[in-house]
Amino acid sequence: MHKKNKGVSASVRGNHKGFNRRSYRGIFLAAFVLFGLVSWKPDIFSFAFGADRTPANEVGTCPISFAVEETLMLPTVNGISLIMVPKENATLFVEYGARIKNFNHKTPRQTVAAGETIKFTITDLRPNQAYEYRVQCKPAETTVAFAARPTHSFRTLRSEDEVFSFAYATDAHIYPDWTKLKFTNVLTKGYENFHQTLENLKTTPLDFLVIGGDYAITQGCGECEAGTLDGVTYSNGSAETIEQSKLRYQTVFSKDLFGKITSELPIFTFF
């Protein structure tokens, strides 16, 4: 670039008919911008011309409430999955990009029924690359505009020959502690320890978290409390139906528990 700049400067000093010094500066600027655009990476190039671009709506205006909010799962060197569970019928898509506030890629739209899991799989990413993402959503079968949820970030896994770090969590039996707090207003030591562990994980440089199981306690659960929260009834003892089991697993990944960290720390889980 330095040699080309000198060449342009020399032409500016020349006495060419029909062009003055300002004209050559304009030509130089246009050539410089064009060179910069075509030399950038394809995703940035498409962004520069507005391709596949969703207008940036106001953050936090999405009207949908979720039983399970953004939960990153199954990270690889070139991809990741995202699951959510809305409390009402909803249409959603994910927009993402490798530059801050540059959501120049997006997934296809999906519509999901209330209480069901929606999953987005994102591929063609670069290894060990940080990305920002956010979910755009609206009530299903409506003509209202999409609105954005808060922005989060993730990083793809390192290349296969690089060292990586992860945490393994299992058998915290946290569901009974959650029911005690919600239905009897009793804050247990187990609940406090669990949340301190989540805070520790937030400040630990990890590539992913492995969740071994035994958190929802679908069998036994003699210490579980029964109650109703947001119009939903929670049972004590063993889960007697598939719906009760799903509700307990959703609770474990709600923003009260693992949902505090899974919007940015990807997980692998056995249940």
Side-chain angles (χ1 to χ4, degrees), residues 108-130:
R109 300 176 183 180
Q110 294 189 50
T111 298
V112 61
E116 296 299 321
T117 302
I118 188 169
K119 179 181 179 181
F120 297 95
T121 300
I122 301 173
T123 57
D124 297 327
L125 305 179
R126 294 191 290 270
N128 196 26
Q129 173 67 55

Side-chain angles (χ1 to χ4, degrees), residues 84-124:
M84 303 180 77
V85 180
K87 292 184 178 180
E88 58 186 282
N89 298 348
T91 300
L92 308 93
F93 66 90
V94 182
E95 51 185 7
Y96 58 97
R99 295 169 64 89
I100 297 176
K101 305 301 182 185
N102 182 5
F103 305 107
N104 58 318
H105 294 285
K106 62 183 179 181
T107 66
R109 300 176 183 180
Q110 294 189 50
T111 298
V112 61
E116 296 299 321
T117 302
I118 188 169
K119 179 181 179 181
F120 297 95
T121 300
I122 301 173
T123 57
D124 297 327

Side-chain angles (χ1 to χ4, degrees), residues 7-25:
V8 172
S9 298
S11 65
V12 170
R13 290 194 295 269
N15 185 21
H16 296 276
K17 294 182 178 180
F19 291 91
N20 55 29
R21 192 179 295 262
R22 181 175 297 177
S23 299
Y24 277 105
R25 286 172 180 167

Side-chain angles (χ1 to χ4, degrees), residues 1 3 26 125 129 184 266:
M1 284 298 296
K3 292 183 179 180
L125 305 179
Q129 173 67 55
T184 67

Side-chain angles (χ1 to χ4, degrees), residues 232-234 242-252:
V232 179
T233 300
Y234 294 78
I242 292 177
E243 291 304 315
Q244 289 180 3
S245 297
K246 287 173 59 178
L247 182 60
R248 294 191 185 186
Y249 285 121
Q250 288 179 8
T251 299
V252 169

